[in-house]
Amino acid sequence: MSSVRSSPSSIVFIMVQLKFLTVTLAAIIVACQAGPCNVCNPVNVIQDGNFEGSSNSWTLDSGVTIVHNGPGGNYASLDVSQLGDIVQYGISQQLSGVIPNQPYWLRYNYGLSDESGLYDGGVVKMVVSLDGVQIGAANIGIRVPYQYIHVDSTVTPTTANPVLSFVCSGNGDNYGGATVIISSIGMQRECFSN
């Protein structure tokens, strides 16, 4: 009968291999338990939010143009020439790749390029909506042209393909027209670390 003897170094090698296998298996189990809901890829779901390409990604109302390399950079220009709800001017985009019921970080800049028709309390009312639900609003009064106001907010879309819209209208007894500029629109899924 022959006996198999192991040297101390081969026993140590086998123990190291078993420990490595145990650690690797534990990591795989933890990763599988985490599941896809704990994986976050913060991709911007807005197409051409900096208005650098063509305006094909955006639906533009009458009176809206895209300006490239203007005094305020690239932006959507909304010529809000009528008072009140007579005419509304806006841009919109149907988004894709959105995960419903997850928080997203929405950011955008807005300002005026021409405020000559704003006096004695006249303002431009801007409403930001996601699938027809208001998620932001501003009354834009007299301000320095091309000086942007930056907005950051958290939104929770309820559908995979929501429509994001920015709609402006003139407001106030002494409204004579203004041009709103919107730029740097982005929306990314918020990621939280545990």
PDB file of all heavy atoms in Angstrom, residues 101-141:
ATOM      1  N   ASN A 101     -40.509  55.979 -12.469  1.00  0.00           N
ATOM      2  CA  ASN A 101     -40.548  56.005 -11.004  1.00  0.00           C
ATOM      3  C   ASN A 101     -39.168  56.018 -10.360  1.00  0.00           C
ATOM      4  O   ASN A 101     -39.007  55.572  -9.225  1.00  0.00           O
ATOM      5  CB  ASN A 101     -41.399  54.840 -10.471  1.00  0.00           C
ATOM      6  CG  ASN A 101     -42.801  54.896 -11.033  1.00  0.00           C
ATOM      7  OD1 ASN A 101     -43.435  55.944 -11.030  1.00  0.00           O
ATOM      8  ND2 ASN A 101     -43.275  53.778 -11.547  1.00  0.00           N
ATOM      9  N   GLN A 102     -38.179  56.517 -11.086  1.00  0.00           N
ATOM     10  CA  GLN A 102     -36.832  56.706 -10.555  1.00  0.00           C
ATOM     11  C   GLN A 102     -36.521  58.202 -10.561  1.00  0.00           C
ATOM     12  O   GLN A 102     -36.944  58.912 -11.470  1.00  0.00           O
ATOM     13  CB  GLN A 102     -35.792  55.966 -11.409  1.00  0.00           C
ATOM     14  CG  GLN A 102     -35.935  54.463 -11.396  1.00  0.00           C
ATOM     15  CD  GLN A 102     -35.612  53.873 -10.034  1.00  0.00           C
ATOM     16  OE1 GLN A 102     -34.630  54.233  -9.393  1.00  0.00           O
ATOM     17  NE2 GLN A 102     -36.477  52.985  -9.568  1.00  0.00           N
ATOM     18  N   PRO A 103     -35.787  58.701  -9.583  1.00  0.00           N
ATOM     19  CA  PRO A 103     -35.480  60.133  -9.558  1.00  0.00           C
ATOM     20  C   PRO A 103     -34.453  60.521 -10.628  1.00  0.00           C
ATOM     21  O   PRO A 103     -33.469  59.804 -10.831  1.00  0.00           O
ATOM     22  CB  PRO A 103     -34.922  60.359  -8.155  1.00  0.00           C
ATOM     23  CG  PRO A 103     -34.419  59.033  -7.713  1.00  0.00           C
ATOM     24  CD  PRO A 103     -35.266  58.003  -8.401  1.00  0.00           C
ATOM     25  N   TYR A 104     -34.718  61.636 -11.285  1.00  0.00           N
ATOM     26  CA  TYR A 104     -33.811  62.195 -12.291  1.00  0.00           C
ATOM     27  C   TYR A 104     -33.469  63.621 -11.909  1.00  0.00           C
ATOM     28  O   TYR A 104     -34.280  64.336 -11.322  1.00  0.00           O
ATOM     29  CB  TYR A 104     -34.469  62.186 -13.678  1.00  0.00           C
ATOM     30  CG  TYR A 104     -34.408  60.851 -14.361  1.00  0.00           C
ATOM     31  CD1 TYR A 104     -35.247  59.822 -13.980  1.00  0.00           C
ATOM     32  CD2 TYR A 104     -33.493  60.620 -15.385  1.00  0.00           C
ATOM     33  CE1 TYR A 104     -35.191  58.583 -14.598  1.00  0.00           C
ATOM     34  CE2 TYR A 104     -33.423  59.389 -16.009  1.00  0.00           C
ATOM     35  CZ  TYR A 104     -34.274  58.376 -15.610  1.00  0.00           C
ATOM     36  OH  TYR A 104     -34.200  57.148 -16.221  1.00  0.00           O
ATOM     37  N   TRP A 105     -32.264  64.022 -12.260  1.00  0.00           N
ATOM     38  CA  TRP A 105     -31.786  65.377 -12.023  1.00  0.00           C
ATOM     39  C   TRP A 105     -32.008  66.152 -13.310  1.00  0.00           C
ATOM     40  O   TRP A 105     -31.451  65.821 -14.352  1.00  0.00           O
ATOM     41  CB  TRP A 105     -30.321  65.317 -11.633  1.00  0.00           C
ATOM     42  CG  TRP A 105     -29.611  66.620 -11.560  1.00  0.00           C
ATOM     43  CD1 TRP A 105     -29.990  67.743 -10.868  1.00  0.00           C
ATOM     44  CD2 TRP A 105     -28.378  66.959 -12.191  1.00  0.00           C
ATOM     45  NE1 TRP A 105     -29.074  68.744 -11.033  1.00  0.00           N
ATOM     46  CE2 TRP A 105     -28.058  68.286 -11.849  1.00  0.00           C
ATOM     47  CE3 TRP A 105     -27.495  66.273 -13.016  1.00  0.00           C
ATOM     48  CZ2 TRP A 105     -26.926  68.932 -12.296  1.00  0.00           C
ATOM     49  CZ3 TRP A 105     -26.354  66.915 -13.458  1.00  0.00           C
ATOM     50  CH2 TRP A 105     -26.084  68.228 -13.097  1.00  0.00           C
ATOM     51  N   LEU A 106     -32.858  67.186 -13.260  1.00  0.00           N
ATOM     52  CA  LEU A 106     -33.153  68.045 -14.409  1.00  0.00           C
ATOM     53  C   LEU A 106     -32.443  69.374 -14.211  1.00  0.00           C
ATOM     54  O   LEU A 106     -32.517  69.968 -13.132  1.00  0.00           O
ATOM     55  CB  LEU A 106     -34.662  68.271 -14.535  1.00  0.00           C
ATOM     56  CG  LEU A 106     -35.105  69.272 -15.610  1.00  0.00           C
ATOM     57  CD1 LEU A 106     -34.778  68.752 -17.008  1.00  0.00           C
ATOM     58  CD2 LEU A 106     -36.587  69.579 -15.477  1.00  0.00           C
ATOM     59  N   ARG A 107     -31.759  69.835 -15.257  1.00  0.00           N
ATOM     60  CA  ARG A 107     -31.076  71.121 -15.181  1.00  0.00           C
ATOM     61  C   ARG A 107     -31.320  71.882 -16.476  1.00  0.00           C
ATOM     62  O   ARG A 107     -31.479  71.281 -17.540  1.00  0.00           O
ATOM     63  CB  ARG A 107     -29.582  70.945 -14.933  1.00  0.00           C
ATOM     64  CG  ARG A 107     -28.854  70.337 -16.097  1.00  0.00           C
ATOM     65  CD  ARG A 107     -27.374  70.079 -15.803  1.00  0.00           C
ATOM     66  NE  ARG A 107     -26.691  69.648 -16.987  1.00  0.00           N
ATOM     67  CZ  ARG A 107     -26.790  68.478 -17.575  1.00  0.00           C
ATOM     68  NH1 ARG A 107     -27.593  67.573 -17.075  1.00  0.00           N
ATOM     69  NH2 ARG A 107     -26.115  68.184 -18.655  1.00  0.00           N
ATOM     70  N   TYR A 108     -31.364  73.205 -16.373  1.00  0.00           N
ATOM     71  CA  TYR A 108     -31.507  74.054 -17.560  1.00  0.00           C
ATOM     72  C   TYR A 108     -31.163  75.482 -17.182  1.00  0.00           C
ATOM     73  O   TYR A 108     -31.118  75.849 -16.006  1.00  0.00           O
ATOM     74  CB  TYR A 108     -32.922  73.964 -18.147  1.00  0.00           C
ATOM     75  CG  TYR A 108     -34.043  74.293 -17.191  1.00  0.00           C
ATOM     76  CD1 TYR A 108     -34.543  75.585 -17.070  1.00  0.00           C
ATOM     77  CD2 TYR A 108     -34.613  73.287 -16.417  1.00  0.00           C
ATOM     78  CE1 TYR A 108     -35.572  75.873 -16.187  1.00  0.00           C
ATOM     79  CE2 TYR A 108     -35.640  73.569 -15.528  1.00  0.00           C
ATOM     80  CZ  TYR A 108     -36.117  74.863 -15.420  1.00  0.00           C
ATOM     81  OH  TYR A 108     -37.134  75.138 -14.539  1.00  0.00           O
ATOM     82  N   ASN A 109     -30.891  76.278 -18.203  1.00  0.00           N
ATOM     83  CA  ASN A 109     -30.634  77.707 -18.039  1.00  0.00           C
ATOM     84  C   ASN A 109     -31.695  78.479 -18.810  1.00  0.00           C
ATOM     85  O   ASN A 109     -32.115  78.039 -19.884  1.00  0.00           O
ATOM     86  CB  ASN A 109     -29.255  78.092 -18.594  1.00  0.00           C
ATOM     87  CG  ASN A 109     -28.118  77.463 -17.828  1.00  0.00           C
ATOM     88  OD1 ASN A 109     -28.247  77.149 -16.658  1.00  0.00           O
ATOM     89  ND2 ASN A 109     -26.992  77.273 -18.495  1.00  0.00           N
ATOM     90  N   TYR A 110     -32.092  79.625 -18.270  1.00  0.00           N
ATOM     91  CA  TYR A 110     -33.001  80.497 -19.016  1.00  0.00           C
ATOM     92  C   TYR A 110     -32.639  81.946 -18.737  1.00  0.00           C
ATOM     93  O   TYR A 110     -31.984  82.280 -17.742  1.00  0.00           O
ATOM     94  CB  TYR A 110     -34.471  80.218 -18.671  1.00  0.00           C
ATOM     95  CG  TYR A 110     -34.877  80.644 -17.281  1.00  0.00           C
ATOM     96  CD1 TYR A 110     -35.355  81.933 -17.042  1.00  0.00           C
ATOM     97  CD2 TYR A 110     -34.793  79.765 -16.210  1.00  0.00           C
ATOM     98  CE1 TYR A 110     -35.735  82.334 -15.763  1.00  0.00           C
ATOM     99  CE2 TYR A 110     -35.162  80.156 -14.939  1.00  0.00           C
ATOM    100  CZ  TYR A 110     -35.624  81.441 -14.719  1.00  0.00           C
ATOM    101  OH  TYR A 110     -35.988  81.831 -13.469  1.00  0.00           O
ATOM    102  N   GLY A 111     -33.062  82.800 -19.641  1.00  0.00           N
ATOM    103  CA  GLY A 111     -32.817  84.229 -19.496  1.00  0.00           C
ATOM    104  C   GLY A 111     -33.582  84.975 -20.575  1.00  0.00           C
ATOM    105  O   GLY A 111     -34.514  84.441 -21.185  1.00  0.00           O
ATOM    106  N   LEU A 112     -33.195  86.214 -20.812  1.00  0.00           N
ATOM    107  CA  LEU A 112     -33.807  87.044 -21.849  1.00  0.00           C
ATOM    108  C   LEU A 112     -32.717  87.550 -22.784  1.00  0.00           C
ATOM    109  O   LEU A 112     -31.609  87.852 -22.345  1.00  0.00           O
ATOM    110  CB  LEU A 112     -34.534  88.245 -21.235  1.00  0.00           C
ATOM    111  CG  LEU A 112     -35.737  87.957 -20.341  1.00  0.00           C
ATOM    112  CD1 LEU A 112     -36.233  89.250 -19.700  1.00  0.00           C
ATOM    113  CD2 LEU A 112     -36.846  87.298 -21.137  1.00  0.00           C
ATOM    114  N   SER A 113     -33.059  87.662 -24.062  1.00  0.00           N
ATOM    115  CA  SER A 113     -32.139  88.339 -24.983  1.00  0.00           C
ATOM    116  C   SER A 113     -32.677  89.725 -25.323  1.00  0.00           C
ATOM    117  O   SER A 113     -31.939  90.584 -25.762  1.00  0.00           O
ATOM    118  CB  SER A 113     -31.936  87.517 -26.259  1.00  0.00           C
ATOM    119  OG  SER A 113     -33.138  87.409 -26.977  1.00  0.00           O
ATOM    120  N   ASP A 114     -33.978  89.922 -25.099  1.00  0.00           N
ATOM    121  CA  ASP A 114     -34.590  91.227 -25.354  1.00  0.00           C
ATOM    122  C   ASP A 114     -35.722  91.417 -24.349  1.00  0.00           C
ATOM    123  O   ASP A 114     -36.680  90.645 -24.322  1.00  0.00           O
ATOM    124  CB  ASP A 114     -35.137  91.287 -26.780  1.00  0.00           C
ATOM    125  CG  ASP A 114     -35.932  92.564 -27.046  1.00  0.00           C
ATOM    126  OD1 ASP A 114     -35.753  93.559 -26.305  1.00  0.00           O
ATOM    127  OD2 ASP A 114     -36.736  92.564 -27.992  1.00  0.00           O
ATOM    128  N   GLU A 115     -35.594  92.425 -23.513  1.00  0.00           N
ATOM    129  CA  GLU A 115     -36.630  92.714 -22.511  1.00  0.00           C
ATOM    130  C   GLU A 115     -37.258  94.074 -22.746  1.00  0.00           C
ATOM    131  O   GLU A 115     -37.905  94.632 -21.873  1.00  0.00           O
ATOM    132  CB  GLU A 115     -36.049  92.612 -21.091  1.00  0.00           C
ATOM    133  CG  GLU A 115     -35.247  93.794 -20.599  1.00  0.00           C
ATOM    134  CD  GLU A 115     -33.918  94.023 -21.300  1.00  0.00           C
ATOM    135  OE1 GLU A 115     -33.388  93.143 -21.981  1.00  0.00           O
ATOM    136  OE2 GLU A 115     -33.406  95.139 -21.174  1.00  0.00           O
ATOM    137  N   SER A 116     -37.122  94.596 -23.958  1.00  0.00           N
ATOM    138  CA  SER A 116     -37.580  95.965 -24.222  1.00  0.00           C
ATOM    139  C   SER A 116     -39.082  96.161 -24.018  1.00  0.00           C
ATOM    140  O   SER A 116     -39.527  97.272 -23.768  1.00  0.00           O
ATOM    141  CB  SER A 116     -37.189  96.386 -25.643  1.00  0.00           C
ATOM    142  OG  SER A 116     -37.818  95.549 -26.590  1.00  0.00           O
ATOM    143  N   GLY A 117     -39.860  95.093 -24.097  1.00  0.00           N
ATOM    144  CA  GLY A 117     -41.297  95.229 -23.916  1.00  0.00           C
ATOM    145  C   GLY A 117     -41.762  94.979 -22.498  1.00  0.00           C
ATOM    146  O   GLY A 117     -42.956  94.939 -22.230  1.00  0.00           O
ATOM    147  N   LEU A 118     -40.824  94.812 -21.553  1.00  0.00           N
ATOM    148  CA  LEU A 118     -41.193  94.590 -20.154  1.00  0.00           C
ATOM    149  C   LEU A 118     -41.073  95.904 -19.394  1.00  0.00           C
ATOM    150  O   LEU A 118     -40.002  96.497 -19.326  1.00  0.00           O
ATOM    151  CB  LEU A 118     -40.267  93.552 -19.511  1.00  0.00           C
ATOM    152  CG  LEU A 118     -40.296  92.148 -20.100  1.00  0.00           C
ATOM    153  CD1 LEU A 118     -39.330  91.248 -19.347  1.00  0.00           C
ATOM    154  CD2 LEU A 118     -41.696  91.559 -20.054  1.00  0.00           C
ATOM    155  N   TYR A 119     -42.179  96.368 -18.844  1.00  0.00           N
ATOM    156  CA  TYR A 119     -42.159  97.580 -18.038  1.00  0.00           C
ATOM    157  C   TYR A 119     -43.359  97.573 -17.106  1.00  0.00           C
ATOM    158  O   TYR A 119     -44.358  96.896 -17.361  1.00  0.00           O
ATOM    159  CB  TYR A 119     -42.138  98.838 -18.913  1.00  0.00           C
ATOM    160  CG  TYR A 119     -43.215  98.874 -19.976  1.00  0.00           C
ATOM    161  CD1 TYR A 119     -44.426  99.502 -19.737  1.00  0.00           C
ATOM    162  CD2 TYR A 119     -43.004  98.266 -21.216  1.00  0.00           C
ATOM    163  CE1 TYR A 119     -45.421  99.523 -20.696  1.00  0.00           C
ATOM    164  CE2 TYR A 119     -43.996  98.294 -22.189  1.00  0.00           C
ATOM    165  CZ  TYR A 119     -45.195  98.917 -21.922  1.00  0.00           C
ATOM    166  OH  TYR A 119     -46.176  98.929 -22.881  1.00  0.00           O
ATOM    167  N   ASP A 120     -43.233  98.266 -16.010  1.00  0.00           N
ATOM    168  CA  ASP A 120     -44.304  98.391 -15.014  1.00  0.00           C
ATOM    169  C   ASP A 120     -44.901  97.051 -14.614  1.00  0.00           C
ATOM    170  O   ASP A 120     -46.113  96.868 -14.598  1.00  0.00           O
ATOM    171  CB  ASP A 120     -45.413  99.322 -15.512  1.00  0.00           C
ATOM    172  CG  ASP A 120     -44.945 100.761 -15.626  1.00  0.00           C
ATOM    173  OD1 ASP A 120     -43.983 101.110 -14.923  1.00  0.00           O
ATOM    174  OD2 ASP A 120     -45.537 101.517 -16.417  1.00  0.00           O
ATOM    175  N   GLY A 121     -44.051  96.078 -14.309  1.00  0.00           N
ATOM    176  CA  GLY A 121     -44.534  94.789 -13.802  1.00  0.00           C
ATOM    177  C   GLY A 121     -44.800  93.730 -14.845  1.00  0.00           C
ATOM    178  O   GLY A 121     -45.207  92.619 -14.505  1.00  0.00           O
ATOM    179  N   GLY A 122     -44.601  94.034 -16.118  1.00  0.00           N
ATOM    180  CA  GLY A 122     -44.784  93.013 -17.144  1.00  0.00           C
ATOM    181  C   GLY A 122     -43.721  91.929 -17.023  1.00  0.00           C
ATOM    182  O   GLY A 122     -42.562  92.210 -16.752  1.00  0.00           O
ATOM    183  N   VAL A 123     -44.111  90.673 -17.173  1.00  0.00           N
ATOM    184  CA  VAL A 123     -43.181  89.544 -17.079  1.00  0.00           C
ATOM    185  C   VAL A 123     -43.528  88.502 -18.143  1.00  0.00           C
ATOM    186  O   VAL A 123     -44.623  88.510 -18.714  1.00  0.00           O
ATOM    187  CB  VAL A 123     -43.225  88.862 -15.690  1.00  0.00           C
ATOM    188  CG1 VAL A 123     -42.773  89.802 -14.591  1.00  0.00           C
ATOM    189  CG2 VAL A 123     -44.600  88.302 -15.386  1.00  0.00           C
ATOM    190  N   VAL A 124     -42.586  87.616 -18.380  1.00  0.00           N
ATOM    191  CA  VAL A 124     -42.850  86.421 -19.176  1.00  0.00           C
ATOM    192  C   VAL A 124     -43.031  85.281 -18.187  1.00  0.00           C
ATOM    193  O   VAL A 124     -42.191  85.071 -17.308  1.00  0.00           O
ATOM    194  CB  VAL A 124     -41.683  86.094 -20.132  1.00  0.00           C
ATOM    195  CG1 VAL A 124     -41.940  84.781 -20.850  1.00  0.00           C
ATOM    196  CG2 VAL A 124     -41.477  87.215 -21.135  1.00  0.00           C
ATOM    197  N   LYS A 125     -44.123  84.564 -18.314  1.00  0.00           N
ATOM    198  CA  LYS A 125     -44.360  83.397 -17.462  1.00  0.00           C
ATOM    199  C   LYS A 125     -43.858  82.165 -18.211  1.00  0.00           C
ATOM    200  O   LYS A 125     -44.270  81.912 -19.345  1.00  0.00           O
ATOM    201  CB  LYS A 125     -45.837  83.250 -17.137  1.00  0.00           C
ATOM    202  CG  LYS A 125     -46.116  82.060 -16.241  1.00  0.00           C
ATOM    203  CD  LYS A 125     -47.565  81.957 -15.854  1.00  0.00           C
ATOM    204  CE  LYS A 125     -47.764  80.769 -14.931  1.00  0.00           C
ATOM    205  NZ  LYS A 125     -49.151  80.622 -14.531  1.00  0.00           N
ATOM    206  N   MET A 126     -42.933  81.418 -17.576  1.00  0.00           N
ATOM    207  CA  MET A 126     -42.420  80.179 -18.164  1.00  0.00           C
ATOM    208  C   MET A 126     -42.865  79.009 -17.297  1.00  0.00           C
ATOM    209  O   MET A 126     -42.713  79.048 -16.073  1.00  0.00           O
ATOM    210  CB  MET A 126     -40.892  80.195 -18.247  1.00  0.00           C
ATOM    211  CG  MET A 126     -40.327  78.925 -18.878  1.00  0.00           C
ATOM    212  SD  MET A 126     -38.522  78.947 -19.088  1.00  0.00           S
ATOM    213  CE  MET A 126     -37.986  78.781 -17.394  1.00  0.00           C
ATOM    214  N   VAL A 127     -43.432  77.982 -17.934  1.00  0.00           N
ATOM    215  CA  VAL A 127     -43.856  76.780 -17.231  1.00  0.00           C
ATOM    216  C   VAL A 127     -43.107  75.599 -17.832  1.00  0.00           C
ATOM    217  O   VAL A 127     -43.078  75.416 -19.058  1.00  0.00           O
ATOM    218  CB  VAL A 127     -45.385  76.559 -17.356  1.00  0.00           C
ATOM    219  CG1 VAL A 127     -45.797  75.232 -16.734  1.00  0.00           C
ATOM    220  CG2 VAL A 127     -46.137  77.721 -16.713  1.00  0.00           C
ATOM    221  N   VAL A 128     -42.492  74.791 -16.965  1.00  0.00           N
ATOM    222  CA  VAL A 128     -41.780  73.581 -17.374  1.00  0.00           C
ATOM    223  C   VAL A 128     -42.647  72.401 -16.954  1.00  0.00           C
ATOM    224  O   VAL A 128     -43.082  72.320 -15.798  1.00  0.00           O
ATOM    225  CB  VAL A 128     -40.389  73.495 -16.718  1.00  0.00           C
ATOM    226  CG1 VAL A 128     -39.631  72.265 -17.209  1.00  0.00           C
ATOM    227  CG2 VAL A 128     -39.589  74.768 -16.981  1.00  0.00           C
ATOM    228  N   SER A 129     -42.912  71.487 -17.909  1.00  0.00           N
ATOM    229  CA  SER A 129     -43.791  70.341 -17.628  1.00  0.00           C
ATOM    230  C   SER A 129     -43.161  69.043 -18.104  1.00  0.00           C
ATOM    231  O   SER A 129     -42.392  69.029 -19.064  1.00  0.00           O
ATOM    232  CB  SER A 129     -45.138  70.510 -18.333  1.00  0.00           C
ATOM    233  OG  SER A 129     -45.788  71.676 -17.900  1.00  0.00           O
ATOM    234  N   LEU A 130     -43.523  67.975 -17.421  1.00  0.00           N
ATOM    235  CA  LEU A 130     -43.130  66.624 -17.818  1.00  0.00           C
ATOM    236  C   LEU A 130     -44.416  65.826 -17.937  1.00  0.00           C
ATOM    237  O   LEU A 130     -45.131  65.651 -16.947  1.00  0.00           O
ATOM    238  CB  LEU A 130     -42.181  66.017 -16.784  1.00  0.00           C
ATOM    239  CG  LEU A 130     -41.460  64.729 -17.165  1.00  0.00           C
ATOM    240  CD1 LEU A 130     -40.550  64.956 -18.373  1.00  0.00           C
ATOM    241  CD2 LEU A 130     -40.634  64.214 -15.994  1.00  0.00           C
ATOM    242  N   ASP A 131     -44.729  65.399 -19.148  1.00  0.00           N
ATOM    243  CA  ASP A 131     -45.999  64.707 -19.444  1.00  0.00           C
ATOM    244  C   ASP A 131     -47.207  65.520 -18.998  1.00  0.00           C
ATOM    245  O   ASP A 131     -48.173  64.994 -18.453  1.00  0.00           O
ATOM    246  CB  ASP A 131     -46.028  63.320 -18.812  1.00  0.00           C
ATOM    247  CG  ASP A 131     -45.516  62.250 -19.758  1.00  0.00           C
ATOM    248  OD1 ASP A 131     -45.316  62.545 -20.961  1.00  0.00           O
ATOM    249  OD2 ASP A 131     -45.318  61.102 -19.310  1.00  0.00           O
ATOM    250  N   GLY A 132     -47.148  66.836 -19.206  1.00  0.00           N
ATOM    251  CA  GLY A 132     -48.278  67.702 -18.896  1.00  0.00           C
ATOM    252  C   GLY A 132     -48.406  68.094 -17.437  1.00  0.00           C
ATOM    253  O   GLY A 132     -49.301  68.852 -17.079  1.00  0.00           O
ATOM    254  N   VAL A 133     -47.524  67.596 -16.581  1.00  0.00           N
ATOM    255  CA  VAL A 133     -47.548  67.938 -15.156  1.00  0.00           C
ATOM    256  C   VAL A 133     -46.476  69.000 -14.906  1.00  0.00           C
ATOM    257  O   VAL A 133     -45.304  68.783 -15.225  1.00  0.00           O
ATOM    258  CB  VAL A 133     -47.282  66.702 -14.276  1.00  0.00           C
ATOM    259  CG1 VAL A 133     -47.218  67.085 -12.805  1.00  0.00           C
ATOM    260  CG2 VAL A 133     -48.344  65.645 -14.518  1.00  0.00           C
ATOM    261  N   GLN A 134     -46.890  70.141 -14.349  1.00  0.00           N
ATOM    262  CA  GLN A 134     -45.946  71.222 -14.099  1.00  0.00           C
ATOM    263  C   GLN A 134     -44.892  70.784 -13.085  1.00  0.00           C
ATOM    264  O   GLN A 134     -45.213  70.315 -12.000  1.00  0.00           O
ATOM    265  CB  GLN A 134     -46.682  72.456 -13.579  1.00  0.00           C
ATOM    266  CG  GLN A 134     -45.754  73.630 -13.330  1.00  0.00           C
ATOM    267  CD  GLN A 134     -46.494  74.876 -12.908  1.00  0.00           C
ATOM    268  OE1 GLN A 134     -47.565  75.169 -13.415  1.00  0.00           O
ATOM    269  NE2 GLN A 134     -45.915  75.599 -11.955  1.00  0.00           N
ATOM    270  N   ILE A 135     -43.611  70.958 -13.462  1.00  0.00           N
ATOM    271  CA  ILE A 135     -42.501  70.610 -12.567  1.00  0.00           C
ATOM    272  C   ILE A 135     -41.636  71.828 -12.254  1.00  0.00           C
ATOM    273  O   ILE A 135     -40.702  71.741 -11.462  1.00  0.00           O
ATOM    274  CB  ILE A 135     -41.630  69.476 -13.148  1.00  0.00           C
ATOM    275  CG1 ILE A 135     -41.104  69.853 -14.536  1.00  0.00           C
ATOM    276  CG2 ILE A 135     -42.415  68.171 -13.187  1.00  0.00           C
ATOM    277  CD1 ILE A 135     -40.110  68.875 -15.129  1.00  0.00           C
ATOM    278  N   GLY A 136     -41.943  72.957 -12.882  1.00  0.00           N
ATOM    279  CA  GLY A 136     -41.197  74.185 -12.630  1.00  0.00           C
ATOM    280  C   GLY A 136     -41.895  75.367 -13.259  1.00  0.00           C
ATOM    281  O   GLY A 136     -42.691  75.206 -14.186  1.00  0.00           O
ATOM    282  N   ALA A 137     -41.625  76.551 -12.742  1.00  0.00           N
ATOM    283  CA  ALA A 137     -42.222  77.769 -13.292  1.00  0.00           C
ATOM    284  C   ALA A 137     -41.374  78.957 -12.884  1.00  0.00           C
ATOM    285  O   ALA A 137     -40.654  78.904 -11.876  1.00  0.00           O
ATOM    286  CB  ALA A 137     -43.654  77.953 -12.802  1.00  0.00           C
ATOM    287  N   ALA A 138     -41.455  80.011 -13.678  1.00  0.00           N
ATOM    288  CA  ALA A 138     -40.741  81.253 -13.357  1.00  0.00           C
ATOM    289  C   ALA A 138     -41.476  82.423 -13.979  1.00  0.00           C
ATOM    290  O   ALA A 138     -42.045  82.299 -15.067  1.00  0.00           O
ATOM    291  CB  ALA A 138     -39.310  81.196 -13.883  1.00  0.00           C
ATOM    292  N   ASN A 139     -41.479  83.548 -13.282  1.00  0.00           N
ATOM    293  CA  ASN A 139     -41.914  84.815 -13.844  1.00  0.00           C
ATOM    294  C   ASN A 139     -40.649  85.602 -14.145  1.00  0.00           C
ATOM    295  O   ASN A 139     -39.931  85.999 -13.222  1.00  0.00           O
ATOM    296  CB  ASN A 139     -42.811  85.579 -12.862  1.00  0.00           C
ATOM    297  CG  ASN A 139     -44.181  84.968 -12.767  1.00  0.00           C
ATOM    298  OD1 ASN A 139     -44.732  84.496 -13.751  1.00  0.00           O
ATOM    299  ND2 ASN A 139     -44.744  84.965 -11.574  1.00  0.00           N
ATOM    300  N   ILE A 140     -40.365  85.786 -15.419  1.00  0.00           N
ATOM    301  CA  ILE A 140     -39.111  86.411 -15.838  1.00  0.00           C
ATOM    302  C   ILE A 140     -39.367  87.890 -16.075  1.00  0.00           C
ATOM    303  O   ILE A 140     -40.095  88.267 -16.991  1.00  0.00           O
ATOM    304  CB  ILE A 140     -38.566  85.742 -17.121  1.00  0.00           C
ATOM    305  CG1 ILE A 140     -38.520  84.215 -16.954  1.00  0.00           C
ATOM    306  CG2 ILE A 140     -37.193  86.289 -17.466  1.00  0.00           C
ATOM    307  CD1 ILE A 140     -38.281  83.456 -18.247  1.00  0.00           C
ATOM    308  N   GLY A 141     -38.770  88.714 -15.250  1.00  0.00           N
ATOM    309  CA  GLY A 141     -38.912  90.161 -15.369  1.00  0.00           C
ATOM    310  C   GLY A 141     -37.678  90.784 -15.997  1.00  0.00           C
ATOM    311  O   GLY A 141     -36.810  90.087 -16.535  1.00  0.00           O
TER     312      GLY A 141
END
